[in-house]
Amino acid sequence: MASVSTAARFQMPASSEVEDFTDQVDEACRLIAGLQAGSVSPEDFDRREAVKVRDAAAKEAKQQAERPVLPEETAERQQQLKQKIADLQNNQQKKQKSRQRYNDHVSQQSSKHVTDYTKWDFFTPDDEDDDLINSLTPNNPQLKAMEADIDARHARMVSQRQLAERQRVEGNALYAQGQFNAAFQCYETGLDAERHNMALHSNAAQVLLKMGCHAQAIEHCDKVLHLSEFLHNRPSDPICAKALWRRATARKELKHFSEAYRDLQQALELEPANKPFAKELERLKQDCAEQRKQRAVLKQIHNADSQLSNASTASIPKQTTEEPQGRSCFAGEPVNDLQRVQQLTQALHIAGEKLADPRAPPVTTKGPSGLGKGLPLPGIKGTLQSAQKEVEGLCTELAALLHANEDCRVCLRECTGLSTLYNLLLKELGAACSPVLRALTAACQNDYNCRGVARQGAASLVAGFMFSSSSDVAFEALCLLYTLTTETEARLVVGQALVRALESEDAAPISQLFALMAAGNAGTQAMALSVLGNCATQPDVLKAVSTSCDAGGQLGIVTVTKLLSSQDTTMATKAATLVGNLCHDSVLRSQITSSRAAVASLLAVLSCYSSQNRLPGSCLSDSGMSVTSPAKEQSASERSASSDTESNTNATGRETHGLSNSGTDRLSTQESANAEAAQAAATALQNLLLDKDAQSLVIDLQGIAIVAKLLSPLNWLLAARAAGILARLAQQPTGHATMLSSGTLDGLLHLLAASLPAKDSENMTWQTQVQESAARLLATLSASYRPTRMHLAQGHGLSLLLQLLRMQACSNAALGNISLCVGDLAREPQLLALLQQEDAVAPLLGEHLDAPRALAKSSQ
């Protein structure tokens, strides 16, 4: 039987099949030779292959059609088969019982040499039914061995998976404790047990990022993406977005910005609603642009070095009056500016060596980065005092170049100029620190220079210069800190530096800031306000300010309040911005509220703007305040004009924004400054009204009438703030009558009507806030103050509210409050007829959140 089976399995092919195979081989050889010789084109080859595929498909279809169709088994046939199976099972059971009796009989017989023929009666031989049963059931040894092997493999695989999961959980716990090395070892142990575990690879990549092993992190992220696509066939798995994010982070740290940008684009395609991905993508776009700019500058430097080398070889004298031939490829500035930055950086490096040891021998003219080839440097000779004067002159010239040219700022970073300037600050320069600080401030007009200076730890060092006895040094230190706070990462570092107490000083930097606000000149006061205002959104800074105010008997709050009532527009704006950000802390908010003068000053700013469109003393020019030094050329204030208020909060109490020119783009410069001051004051007042005592105080100071005058569509940002202020004041029942008598309701309805046309992109955010605040105010008043309901019914208020509901032109929050307001009108029996006349029920059936609740009110 075995030989027959083997012959059947390994039967020789027919001669026709051999001939067909030989023809196919010959044809393939001819085609290959034709392709090599050029007689057969790839198009002809593709055409022949298409014909073969089509013929094969037709042949298969023909064979399928010719294949006989077996008739479907009838119910009777199925019953017969079932009966046959049952008979086979019964016979098999009988045979097993007979064989068991036979075995029992044999075992009971004593071992005798006499033949016992009675056992033949119990013997049951094998037959065809036994072969059939054995072929259908896994009773043979091979299958049993295979089954045992499968079970063993499965048990081993389950054990490995359990081990990998335990290592993953343990690694996550160690990672949360900051033990990154131990966590990585756990992940590695888990991967040894299960190499295809995507979660372990992803976690290993994250912990490697924390350890600074970016290349290894990229390898683990690659494995996650490979396994997801080719093994699991799930390229859109959520873990892939994490892997792409982490690979982009690693590539960004390795300065591979283009590859990181592509990774984040893919991650954003997988998770379009992920805001951190979108935000980081914008930053990477800036990184790519900065890298291109950096490469262009390096190319210019290389070209300039080549020109200088060629000129030196040809003994060409130095140009004196002619314009340099090389020019910047993107800024239009002469290449000689970049050469001069190199010269000044190298000269400052030499000056630093001289300041460290006045007797030191002359050092090489090549700078620390090796950029530049034999550039002529000004000689630095003489005493320590002469070296300090030389540093002042070099830094003054360098600051002018950095302020005027972005290429120079990039060049300074590439030739390690930032480190050179930072090292100069470590020397005992005294008043000579002022030009060094000014040069760093000009360099930090580039965001990447800001980050570089902050990462070097310069913030803590510069904060110490605020304690200098020289007013110029303190002012330049504030200018540098202010410029650093315009960049997000550097702002956090500056905030930490302000919180930490300096070892060499008794007072903390925050206390010194308040001291400079109280006793400094106008420029110093403005810069101190700006630095603290930009950092006042950080919880640690707010806590330090609260502690400082407690220790000084609210001296800081009193100082800021005095500046808030300043006759200078810019000073008042910065003070209002600081007050608004300080209101994030509940303790500081209570302290400001207890200072009645602070609330009165905020209302005075708003009153002056609404009545005269100018602040008290606005005839004074902003240039009367020395915000920047002459050599600085107002670089800090120009660069961060919108940064003062980027930390101000909206009605939610935390969201940040920048100043908007909504409604002020046609105004003069002074009128625009007044509008910005009013916006800052309104934001501060809105944040302050989170405190219940502040709400009562504003109502007592007749603040409702003052704020109601700001409800104008000419400035949507200010109108949104005013609506938010009134919505919070509506929480106090004592102000309801004043809101009705001061025309607040009419102003709100007018604003809602003005927001009905199509919103423009510039004012869309503020129009939405106006609608939400106005709707919240109307819902509050209509629910608790009956005259409000009657006032809405007497005028066109009800028609306007129903129109907004029909148009669905507001956000869900606004529509919900409008629905509640309409529902409250149904509480007045005399208004039911008016509601029926206006068909008020139909708009309430719109698909927005609180409409069912309002509908229930109207049905009562």
Side-chain angles (χ1 to χ4, degrees):
M1 293 294 292
S3 60
V4 175
S5 177
T6 304
R9 290 172 55 192
F10 300 100
Q11 186 177 3
M12 294 295 294
S15 58
S16 59
E17 295 178 352
V18 175
E19 292 177 358
D20 292 341
F21 177 75
T22 305
D23 293 340
Q24 292 177 5
V25 172
D26 293 339
E27 184 179 1
C29 293
R30 287 195 301 272
L31 287 176
I32 293 174
L35 287 172
Q36 293 176 346
S39 59
V40 178
S41 63
E43 291 78 8
D44 294 338
F45 180 79
D46 294 339
R47 194 179 305 109
R48 294 183 182 183
E49 288 297 320
V51 170
K52 288 182 179 180
V53 172
R54 186 169 60 253
D55 293 344
K59 183 178 180 180
E60 179 66 22
K62 182 177 179 181
Q63 293 177 354
Q64 186 70 20
E66 294 176 354
R67 197 171 292 161
V69 180
L70 298 176
E72 295 185 359
E73 295 180 349
T74 61
E76 182 180 359
R77 175 61 177 169
Q78 292 180 358
Q79 187 64 28
Q80 292 177 358
L81 292 175
K82 290 181 180 179
Q83 184 62 37
K84 186 175 181 180
I85 292 174
D87 295 341
L88 285 173
Q89 292 177 347
N90 293 332
N91 292 334
Q92 184 67 16
Q93 292 176 359
K94 292 180 180 179
K95 291 178 181 178
Q96 290 179 354
K97 292 180 179 178
S98 299
R99 288 169 182 164
Q100 184 63 34
R101 288 196 300 270
Y102 173 78
N103 294 332
D104 294 341
H105 175 76
V106 172
S107 62
Q108 293 175 1
Q109 297 297 322
S110 59
S111 56
K112 298 179 181 180
H113 298 285
V114 180
T115 303
D116 183 10
Y117 295 97
T118 59
K119 66 180 180 181
W120 291 4
D121 297 334
F122 299 100
F123 180 70
T124 303
D126 295 337
D127 54 11
E128 295 181 357
D129 292 343
D130 292 331
D131 296 336
L132 178 62
I133 293 296
N134 291 332
S135 64
L136 296 177
T137 57
N139 291 325
N140 58 68
Q142 292 83 358
L143 289 178
K144 287 186 177 296
M146 184 182 298
E147 182 180 3
D149 182 67
I150 292 175
D151 292 340
R153 289 174 180 269
H154 178 71
R156 186 165 58 253
M157 181 180 64
V158 171
S159 176
Q160 290 175 344
R161 286 184 178 178
Q162 291 175 349
L163 174 61
E165 180 62 19
R166 288 195 300 270
Q167 293 297 320
R168 185 190 69 83
V169 173
E170 183 179 354
N172 291 349
L174 292 171
Y175 176 85
Q177 298 172 6
Q179 302 180 26
F180 301 130
N181 289 328
F184 179 69
Q185 292 176 3
C186 288
Y187 296 144
E188 283 291 296
T189 304
L191 287 172
D192 290 339
E194 189 179 10
R195 303 300 299 177
H196 297 160
N197 192 310
M198 295 194 299
L200 284 173
H201 280 296
S202 180
N203 292 356
Q206 177 64 22
V207 76
L208 285 170
L209 287 177
K210 293 293 185 180
M211 297 167 60
C213 302
H214 303 111
Q216 294 87 337
I218 292 175
E219 293 179 0
H220 282 279
C221 293
D222 291 340
K223 291 178 181 178
V224 172
L225 299 174
H226 181 82
L227 291 172
S228 177
E229 181 176 1
F230 297 105
L231 182 62
H232 301 287
N233 196 21
R234 296 197 305 267
S236 60
D237 193 288
I239 200 172
C240 293
K242 287 185 179 180
L244 289 168
W245 165 267
R246 290 166 183 173
R247 189 170 71 176
T249 303
R251 286 177 168 174
K252 179 181 178 181
E253 294 297 329
L254 295 175
K255 308 301 181 184
H256 301 164
F257 297 122
S258 300
E259 293 85 351
Y261 185 80
R262 287 195 293 269
D263 284 343
L264 267 185
Q265 278 185 322
Q266 297 178 20
L268 199 59
E269 290 176 359
L270 295 178
E271 296 183 6
N274 195 310
K275 293 183 179 179
F277 286 3
K279 185 177 180 180
E280 185 63 23
L281 190 65
E282 290 299 321
R283 293 195 65 176
L284 274 175
K285 187 183 298 184
Q286 298 175 5
D287 291 336
C288 292
E290 185 71 17
Q291 190 178 55
R292 289 193 295 268
K293 188 189 303 182
Q294 175 182 332
R295 291 173 179 172
V297 169
L298 291 176
K299 184 177 181 181
Q300 293 179 61
I301 294 174
H302 176 73
N303 294 338
D305 291 341
S306 300
Q307 294 176 9
L308 185 61
S309 178
N310 295 335
S312 176
T313 303
S315 300
I316 299 178
K318 183 179 179 179
Q319 296 180 358
T320 55
T321 59
E322 296 181 0
E323 181 181 354
Q325 296 179 359
R327 301 188 67 84
S328 171
C329 61
F330 57 87
E333 295 297 330
V335 175
N336 192 42
D337 284 348
L338 303 182
Q339 291 180 339
R340 187 57 181 165
V341 169
Q342 290 180 256
Q343 293 177 5
L344 294 173
T345 302
Q346 296 169 17
L348 288 171
H349 179 71
I350 297 174
E353 297 288 341
K354 190 58 133 177
L355 289 171
D357 184 4
R359 296 171 297 177
V363 296
T364 176
T365 59
K366 182 172 288 189
S369 67
L371 294 176
K373 300 179 180 180
L375 296 177
L377 298 178
I380 300 181
K381 300 178 180 179
T383 63
L384 181 62
Q385 290 76 14
S386 64
Q388 290 180 349
K389 291 182 180 179
E390 189 71 22
V391 168
E392 293 184 23
L394 293 173
C395 288
T396 300
E397 182 180 356
L398 181 62
L401 288 173
L402 296 176
H403 176 65
N405 194 334
E406 173 68 12
D407 296 0
C408 293
R409 294 191 281 271
V410 177
C411 179
L412 181 73
R413 182 174 71 244
E414 293 305 311
C415 63
T416 66
L418 296 176
S419 299
T420 300
L421 293 174
Y422 175 72
N423 291 332
L424 286 175
L425 291 178
L426 299 175
K427 314 295 182 182
E428 296 294 337
L429 295 179
C433 287
S434 180
V436 181
L437 292 169
R438 190 180 306 122
L440 271 176
T441 302
C444 288
Q445 294 181 43
N446 181 283
D447 286 344
Y448 295 86
N449 288 351
C450 273
R451 298 173 194 171
V453 171
R455 290 170 182 172
Q456 287 180 344
S460 299
L461 178 63
V462 175
F465 286 108
M466 294 191 302
F467 296 89
S468 174
S469 58
S470 172
S471 59
D472 291 339
V473 173
F475 172 74
E476 293 298 341
L478 287 173
C479 289
L480 178 54
L481 291 175
Y482 176 40
T483 306
L484 289 175
T485 59
T486 61
E487 203 279 326
T488 304
E489 180 180 336
R491 184 187 305 126
L492 296 175
V493 178
V494 172
Q496 295 172 0
L498 294 179
V499 170
R500 287 195 299 267
L502 302 178
E503 297 179 359
S504 59
E505 303 292 342
D506 295 334
I510 294 250
S511 301
Q512 182 64 13
L513 280 175
F514 283 121
L516 292 174
M517 293 179 198
N521 56 32
T524 302
Q525 290 175 335
M527 282 299 165
L529 285 170
S530 300
V531 171
L532 189 55
N534 285 353
C535 295
T537 55
Q538 302 177 32
D540 293 341
V541 175
L542 291 174
K543 183 178 180 181
V545 171
S546 177
T547 304
S548 176
C549 291
D550 290 342
Q554 294 190 351
L555 176 61
I557 301 298
V558 174
T559 301
V560 176
T561 300
K562 291 180 180 179
L563 296 177
L564 187 60
S565 58
S566 171
Q567 301 297 311
D568 193 287
T569 306
T570 304
M571 188 76 73
T573 303
K574 293 179 182 293
T577 300
L578 176 58
V579 171
N581 291 337
L582 292 179
C583 289
H584 292 165
D585 184 78
S586 58
V587 176
L588 290 173
R589 195 163 54 239
S590 300
Q591 293 178 356
I592 295 173
T593 301
S594 62
S595 174
R596 190 182 182 93
V599 180
S601 298
L602 291 174
L603 291 175
V605 173
L606 298 177
S607 178
C608 290
Y609 175 78
S610 60
S611 60
Q612 303 175 8
N613 198 19
R614 63 183 179 88
L615 293 176
S618 60
C619 56
L620 297 177
S621 173
D622 282 341
S623 60
M625 184 185 65
S626 301
V627 178
T628 54
S629 60
K632 198 168 184 303
E633 297 182 0
Q634 297 181 351
S635 59
S637 59
E638 289 175 0
R639 181 169 178 266
S640 53
S642 64
S643 176
D644 284 337
T645 55
E646 67 180 355
S647 302
N648 282 343
T649 58
N650 60 13
T652 62
R654 275 294 181 185
E655 186 176 349
T656 61
H657 70 86
L659 275 179
S660 170
N661 292 328
S662 306
T664 62
D665 51 351
R666 294 183 298 273
L667 301 179
S668 65
T669 303
Q670 183 59 43
E671 291 173 338
S672 178
N674 292 342
E676 291 179 359
Q679 291 167 3
T683 302
L685 188 60
Q686 184 178 3
N687 294 341
L688 187 63
L689 290 178
L690 290 171
D691 190 89
K692 298 294 184 182
D693 295 336
Q695 297 172 5
S696 302
L697 179 59
V698 171
I699 294 175
D700 294 341
L701 293 174
Q702 307 299 321
I704 293 178
I706 296 174
V707 175
K709 296 179 181 179
L710 303 176
L711 299 174
S712 170
L714 296 178
N715 190 328
W716 283 104
L717 190 156
L718 192 56
R721 294 293 182 233
I725 292 171
L726 293 171
R728 290 184 176 174
L729 290 176
Q731 299 176 16
Q732 295 293 329
T734 56
H736 292 174
T738 306
M739 288 187 181
L740 192 60
S741 61
S742 62
T744 300
L745 288 183
D746 295 332
L748 288 173
L749 293 174
H750 176 68
L751 273 181
L752 286 175
S755 66
L756 277 179
K759 302 176 183 178
D760 57 278
S761 58
E762 181 181 5
N763 296 321
M764 181 178 298
T765 301
W766 313 120
Q767 287 178 339
T768 301
Q769 288 192 16
V770 166
Q771 293 172 349
E772 292 179 354
S773 299
R776 185 166 64 251
L777 174 59
L778 291 174
T780 302
L781 292 178
S782 62
S784 57
Y785 193 56
R786 183 175 182 273
T788 302
R789 299 192 288 270
M790 304 306 298
H791 184 82
L792 290 175
Q794 292 173 0
H796 299 285
L798 177 59
S799 301
L800 176 62
L801 296 179
L802 293 177
Q803 184 180 2
L804 289 171
L805 289 176
R806 292 188 182 99
M807 295 177 62
Q808 298 284 307
C810 304
S811 65
N812 287 338
L815 291 174
N817 283 321
I818 291 174
S819 301
L820 293 175
C821 183
V822 174
D824 286 327
L825 297 182
R827 294 164 56 185
E828 302 296 333
Q830 60 270 37
L831 299 181
L832 293 177
L834 177 61
L835 291 172
Q836 184 177 4
Q837 178 182 352
E838 295 286 345
D839 192 15
V841 175
L844 295 177
L845 297 176
E847 297 180 356
H848 45 84
L849 184 62
D850 290 332
R853 178 181 164 194
L855 183 61
K857 280 190 176 184
S858 63
S859 64
Q860 291 176 356

